Amino acid sequence: MFKNYIKTAFRSLYKNKGFTAINILGLALGLATCLLIVFYVVDELSYDRYNTKADRIYRVNEDLKLGENKVQYAVAMPPLAKTLKAEYSYVEDATRIKRAGTTHVKKGSINIVENNVAFADASIFNVFTLPMISGDPKTALLEPSTVVITESIAKKYFNTTNAVGKFILFNDKENFKVTGVIKDIPKQSHFNFDFLVSLESFPESRSNEWLRSDYNTYVLLKNAKDHEKLAASFPALLQKFSGSQMQSELGMSVAQFEKGGSYFRMNLTALTDIHLKSNLSGELGPNSTTQYVYIFSAIALFILLIACVNFMNLSTARSSNRSREVGVRKVLGSSRKYLIFQFLAESILVTLVATVIAVIAASAILPFFNQLSGKEITLTIESLKWLVPSLLAVVLVVGSLAGSYPAFFLSAFQPIDVLKGKLSAGFKGGGLRSFLVVFQFFVSILLIIGTLVIRNQLNFIQTKNLGYNRNQVLIVKNSGELNQQAKVFKQELANLPGVKSTTMTGFLPTNGWRNTRIYYKDATYDQKKSLFPQSWEIDADYIPTMDMKMAAGRNFSKEMQSDSSAIIINEAAAKFLGFADPVNKIVYQSLGGDRKDGAPNVKECHIVGVVKDFHFNSLREKIEPMVLTYGQNAGALAIRVSPSNISSLMAQIKDKWNQLSPNVQIDYSFMDQDFDASYRSEQRIGQIFVIFTSLAIIIACLGLFGLAAYAAEQRTKEIGIRKVLGADVSVIVAMLSKDFIKLVCIAIIIASPFAWYVMNKWLQDFAYRTTIQWWVIASAGAGALVIAFITISFQSIKAALANPVKSLRSE
């Protein structure tokens, strides 16, 4: 019996090759798209879950409010990890990680730039799952000047994983002994370091300062439920350990600090929430957001539904063609349940073929998708364990869902009505089909509008006046390696033809260097009037090199010694301070602690200028107050160059570098590239949206094409009669198209306000954003109408041009 069902299904599907092909192609496209999105979502949700103790690991964060200034940190105080383990019995262990920044590692006669270097406590191996290939995890990082490296790094520098006991030279200064080799940290980790250097090598790690935060601190709890108990204990802990230092540093107790409206708090973030739910200052790497996981999951579901809708529409539309088959089967004794099974078998068979094609297509497209999304997704044995059963479930569920209505609809025909010809033609009375067509284009228009809004926001970011000119600025990121020669290098570059100006500082709008200080508006030292801005050390060439503009006052001057105590503030700081004319006003910088007379230890700073606001954070954030101080900082060198003959100038710059530092590679980039990199996730999302939107439209149009073809087929005789009576091609095309165009218009009316609401919510993540203009909605609607009309008109014109003699002769 089952064999007969399959054979009959094959015959029926082969008889209607065109519609079968449309169904299979639509389902295959939908399923392949869903598979890619599922791979993406699973990858996003799997971050840090490789850790066997992941459910018991939490990171400690800090929230600081000083006056009107609020800052959230992913880092904590130096002594916190040790204190938590000592104070609370339910804390099994604690560990700290501190990013080391750019490091030069000696290989032969050259220094290789390595960016994935961090300091770590020896307890890191007790908290995180970092399998060690060689070495003892219990002792690997106990001693100073020791380092644990990954398998890839061991092969890179020693051509073997048996590297324990060997030495690595960092920054031409200190040899570090390799005490362990671990497996490469999985890509699905919120930190991914190649070198873990013992924190014992970093003297400041033993600091007992409770008002300083620069360590990513993690706790391993004995019981995951204890995280609420630990979080509740933080206020008392801070009172106990930071109270005396706060009195000394700020001249007030914790109670006085909080009474003034300020606060200093700690909280916990679960390890598995960091990648998708945390975007604080001091993160160990770029994180994503749950928003995109939800968006892509919804897109996958919608595209799959569109593909199922196609199948249901085409199957029900062709119902009249199989009504006689149903009638004859019922007369010959076939029960309804067997007919239902027959139609479901056809549906599941189509879905099975489409699934096989989809898996092949998704596997072939996966490398391109990885490149587009920035992922490194691969199909492994582990992934196949859940993928194969999931696909089988999809075949059954989607096949049953897509074939359910045709199966129950067709099997319900009464044989007497069918054989007497009382059933209406299959395309009439298609209320459900109309609803499904509206749903398809509702989704398509929603995706079109979403794509346009994302593209507009990206264009807004690219073209917005940032308050500085990022174009034609070369950044030498490791100029600090030159030590005392850095000034010489800067001066020699300034004399090169093609170099307009140079400035030396690690504080750049597109750099990760950040620093904050406390400033008081007046000598009352009232924290309500305090300022907690970014405080950057720059030289006199910084503002002209960045092409910034002064709103008032002047720039720093090399000739004026008094500028050592001068500051330049931005417009946001001037607005916060409330000075009508900030120039020549005095503010007070906190140096920490008290003077002998008991007054706060402060430094008088006079404001010499106000620079126009510039964006030094993401456009998601408002421009915060900024204070520029005058000094020398060799963290990086910015060079504004002439756009002509860049290659020749770069050769000269590298030559100058090699003369001063022949054993260290120059590390450089262009500022506009660094800026674009900070919005790479949005760019990738925009590209992925374009592709998924295009696929959704193609799938929807496949269904519309099939329905239009069937509508033309059903009205062949009517078209012939109309042509004989004098109707021209345009009238026929309009007659066949108007019903479908009406459905698309309904979809536009429904989708437009919904899409506006959803994308407006997305734009709220940006403090500086574009607006959703009327032409975006109009363009999406017009585009959907044009695409739908082209799809329909192909079949309509074909039917309208057919010979009416043949149309009238057919029956």
Side-chain angles (χ1 to χ4, degrees):
M1 180 68 73
F2 182 76
K3 181 179 179 181
N4 183 59
Y5 284 138
I6 299 298
K7 186 183 295 185
T8 305
F10 266 113
R11 286 174 180 170
S12 176
L13 294 172
Y14 182 77
K15 181 181 177 181
N16 303 288
K17 294 186 286 291
F19 288 91
T20 301
I22 290 175
N23 273 331
I24 290 176
L25 181 57
L27 277 174
L29 276 175
L31 287 169
T33 305
C34 282
L35 274 176
L36 292 175
I37 296 176
V38 166
F39 292 154
Y40 177 90
V41 170
V42 168
D43 185 82
E44 287 288 282
L45 295 176
S46 65
Y47 267 71
D48 294 303
R49 297 184 187 276
Y50 67 89
N51 291 284
T52 57
K53 306 170 186 175
D55 63 321
R56 295 189 286 131
I57 302 173
Y58 289 81
R59 187 187 67 195
V60 184
N61 312 308
E62 291 182 2
D63 292 340
L64 175 63
K65 181 176 183 288
L66 185 61
E68 297 300 319
N69 308 278
K70 295 180 182 179
V71 189
Q72 293 180 303
Y73 295 107
V75 291
M77 303 77 74
L80 181 63
K82 180 176 63 175
T83 304
L84 290 176
K85 187 176 179 182
E87 290 286 318
Y88 304 107
S89 59
Y90 49 83
V91 173
E92 182 175 317
D93 213 332
T95 192
R96 300 171 299 170
I97 302 174
K98 180 180 174 64
R99 179 179 285 279
T102 301
T103 305
H104 293 85
V105 181
K106 197 82 167 184
K107 183 179 181 182
S109 60
I110 64 170
N111 279 298
I112 299 176
V113 176
E114 297 286 359
N115 293 310
N116 293 326
V117 183
F119 293 100
D121 282 322
S123 55
I124 189 172
F125 301 108
N126 298 334
V127 177
F128 297 103
T129 303
L130 302 171
M132 195 165 277
I133 298 171
S134 58
D136 184 357
K138 295 180 180 179
T139 60
L141 294 178
L142 284 176
E143 300 296 327
S145 300
T146 56
V147 61
V148 171
I149 60 177
T150 62
E151 183 179 3
S152 296
I153 290 297
K155 292 177 180 177
K156 178 179 178 179
Y157 286 92
F158 304 111
N159 297 318
T160 178
T161 57
N162 187 22
V164 173
K166 299 181 184 297
F167 287 87
I168 292 178
L169 182 62
F170 285 154
N171 299 323
D172 279 330
K173 293 178 181 178
E174 186 177 358
N175 269 313
F176 284 77
K177 183 180 179 181
V178 177
T179 52
V181 177
I182 60 173
K183 290 185 178 180
D184 291 346
I185 298 175
K187 297 296 181 184
Q188 294 79 18
S189 175
H190 78 282
F191 66 82
N192 212 302
F193 296 110
D194 295 321
F195 300 82
L196 296 174
V197 182
S198 171
L199 258 173
E200 294 297 318
S201 313
F202 192 58
E204 293 185 14
S205 68
R206 296 184 283 277
S207 167
N208 198 38
E209 296 180 68
W210 282 86
L211 297 182
R212 169 186 162 190
S213 305
D214 45 12
Y215 293 87
N216 294 85
T217 303
Y218 303 85
V219 292
L220 173 64
L221 302 177
K222 292 179 180 178
N223 190 317
K225 296 180 181 178
D226 288 333
H227 75 277
E228 294 180 357
K229 189 193 305 183
L230 179 61
S233 72
F234 282 154
L237 181 79
L238 286 172
Q239 174 71 43
K240 179 179 179 180
F241 290 98
S242 68
S244 59
Q245 290 188 20
M246 185 171 289
Q247 184 70 49
S248 173
E249 293 284 330
L250 300 179
M252 64 185 75
S253 65
V254 173
Q256 290 173 318
F257 185 70
E258 293 182 348
K259 187 178 180 180
S262 302
Y263 58 73
F264 179 39
R265 300 170 183 168
M266 295 192 300
N267 59 74
L268 296 172
T269 297
L271 177 67
T272 51
D273 286 343
I274 291 176
H275 178 66
L276 291 176
K277 299 180 181 179
S278 179
N279 189 23
L280 310 180
S281 178
E283 298 281 356
L284 289 176
N287 291 332
S288 186
T289 172
T290 53
Q291 186 183 58
Y292 292 139
V293 171
Y294 294 142
I295 289 173
F296 284 133
S297 298
I299 290 174
L301 179 62
F302 283 149
I303 288 178
L304 187 58
L305 286 175
I306 288 175
C308 292
V309 163
N310 278 354
F311 188 38
M312 293 177 70
N313 266 346
L314 293 175
S315 298
T316 54
R318 293 187 63 80
S319 59
S320 65
N321 288 21
R322 302 191 67 181
S323 59
R324 285 187 175 85
E325 175 191 340
V326 172
V328 172
R329 280 173 175 265
K330 283 195 170 185
V331 168
L332 294 176
S334 180
S335 65
R336 186 185 180 193
K337 67 179 181 180
Y338 289 120
L339 289 171
I340 291 173
F341 189 89
Q342 174 68 59
F343 292 123
L344 287 178
E346 292 179 15
S347 175
I348 291 172
L349 185 61
V350 169
T351 308
L352 179 62
V353 174
T355 302
V356 172
I357 295 172
V359 171
I360 296 172
S363 301
I365 298 170
L366 191 55
F368 169 74
F369 183 74
N370 281 335
Q371 183 180 1
L372 186 68
S373 62
K375 295 289 186 182
E376 294 185 15
I377 302 169
T378 55
L379 291 178
T380 62
I381 299 298
E382 289 297 318
S383 62
L384 290 176
K385 289 181 181 178
W386 63 263
L387 183 60
V388 172
S390 299
L391 287 174
L392 291 175
V394 165
V395 169
L396 291 175
V397 172
V398 172
S400 301
L401 176 65
S404 58
Y405 183 82
F408 290 100
F409 177 72
L410 293 174
S411 63
F413 288 171
Q414 295 300 316
I416 185 108
D417 293 332
V418 172
L419 297 177
K420 284 184 177 181
K422 291 184 178 180
L423 287 179
S424 61
F427 197 75
K428 293 181 180 178
L432 176 64
R433 283 194 303 279
S434 298
F435 167 77
L436 294 177
V437 169
V438 170
F439 171 77
Q440 284 183 310
F441 277 89
F442 166 82
V443 174
S444 299
I445 293 162
L446 183 66
L447 291 176
I448 293 172
I449 293 173
T451 301
L452 291 175
V453 172
I454 291 173
R455 303 287 287 187
N456 286 345
Q457 177 62 16
L458 289 174
N459 184 62
F460 175 82
I461 290 170
Q462 294 292 330
T463 57
K464 188 181 187 307
N465 181 6
L466 301 173
Y468 66 94
N469 184 359
R470 66 182 182 271
N471 298 314
Q472 308 303 327
V473 178
L474 176 71
I475 308 297
V476 178
K477 299 179 178 180
N478 59 334
S479 58
E481 296 297 325
L482 299 176
N483 299 317
Q484 298 301 319
Q485 298 283 3
K487 293 181 182 179
V488 176
F489 182 60
K490 175 180 181 288
Q491 188 57 47
E492 289 189 358
L493 293 189
N495 295 329
L496 290 177
V499 172
K500 296 182 178 180
S501 60
T502 61
T503 183
M504 187 171 291
T505 181
F507 296 103
L508 297 167
T510 56
N511 202 340
W513 283 37
R514 296 293 181 262
N515 183 48
T516 52
R517 286 178 180 166
I518 300 173
Y519 290 84
Y520 297 103
K521 180 179 179 179
D522 52 44
T524 62
Y525 313 129
D526 183 357
Q527 62 173 306
K528 292 183 179 180
K529 298 179 181 179
S530 63
L531 189 64
F532 192 53
Q534 285 291 316
S535 182
W536 292 6
E537 189 177 42
I538 66 169
D539 59 22
D541 298 315
Y542 186 87
I543 289 177
T545 301
M546 293 294 106
D547 198 15
M548 295 174 178
K549 308 299 180 186
M550 297 298 296
R554 64 174 176 83
N555 185 20
F556 293 125
S557 173
K558 300 174 185 177
E559 283 72 36
M560 300 186 69
Q561 294 184 352
S562 61
D563 277 2
S564 60
S565 62
I567 60 172
I568 295 173
I569 62 175
N570 68 350
E571 292 172 307
K575 182 179 179 181
F576 181 89
L577 291 169
F579 292 134
D581 180 11
V583 178
N584 295 322
K585 294 292 192 301
I586 300 294
V587 295
Y588 299 85
Q589 177 193 331
S590 173
L591 301 178
D594 293 335
R595 300 196 305 256
K596 291 181 180 180
D597 59 3
N601 186 17
V602 296
K603 171 187 175 182
E604 288 190 4
C605 301
H606 67 282
I607 302 171
V608 298
V610 179
V611 66
K612 286 192 173 182
D613 281 341
F614 62 94
H615 290 273
F616 52 88
N617 286 325
S618 166
L619 290 181
R620 290 191 178 89
E621 304 171 38
K622 290 184 178 180
I623 297 176
E624 298 292 338
M626 164 72 72
V627 171
L628 302 174
T629 62
Y630 187 53
Q632 297 293 327
N633 181 293
L637 180 68
I639 311 153
R640 180 163 294 281
V641 299
S642 172
S644 59
N645 208 1
I646 292 287
S647 58
S648 174
L649 180 58
M650 283 302 307
Q652 295 179 67
I653 292 172
K654 290 178 181 178
D655 182 59
K656 294 290 185 184
W657 175 275
N658 290 331
Q659 290 175 21
L660 297 172
S661 183
N663 296 324
V664 178
Q665 292 178 327
I666 186 171
D667 183 18
Y668 67 91
S669 65
F670 281 91
M671 184 174 278
D672 56 349
Q673 295 172 342
D674 294 340
F675 177 83
D676 291 342
S678 63
Y679 295 95
R680 192 164 292 151
S681 63
E682 281 79 14
Q683 293 168 352
R684 285 169 173 161
I685 295 300
Q687 292 172 330
I688 293 172
F689 245 84
V690 170
I691 292 173
F692 288 161
T693 300
S694 301
L695 288 172
I697 293 170
I698 290 171
I699 295 168
C701 287
L702 279 173
L704 199 59
F705 180 84
L707 287 176
Y710 188 70
E713 179 184 320
Q714 291 292 93
R715 302 176 74 173
T716 299
K717 192 175 291 294
E718 177 188 350
I719 293 168
I721 293 171
R722 286 178 179 272
K723 290 192 72 175
V724 168
L725 295 175
D728 59 19
V729 173
S730 62
V731 173
I732 303 297
V733 171
M735 177 191 73
L736 292 174
S737 302
K738 66 179 182 180
D739 289 336
F740 292 110
I741 296 300
K742 188 190 304 179
L743 296 178
V744 176
C745 289
I746 294 172
I748 293 171
I749 293 170
I750 298 173
S752 296
F754 185 77
W756 181 90
Y757 174 78
V758 171
M759 295 314 299
N760 192 56
K761 292 284 285 184
W762 177 78
L763 285 172
Q764 298 307 310
D765 283 347
F766 295 86
Y768 301 92
R769 54 187 176 269
T770 186
T771 56
I772 305 177
Q773 298 175 328
W774 67 269
W775 64 263
V776 173
I777 308 293
S779 298
L785 280 173
V786 169
I787 293 169
F789 182 75
I790 291 173
T791 303
I792 299 163
S793 62
F794 179 84
Q795 291 292 346
S796 302
I797 293 171
K798 180 181 176 182
L801 293 175
N803 190 337
V805 175
K806 292 182 179 180
S807 301
L808 294 173
R809 189 181 296 164
S810 65
E811 181 59 55

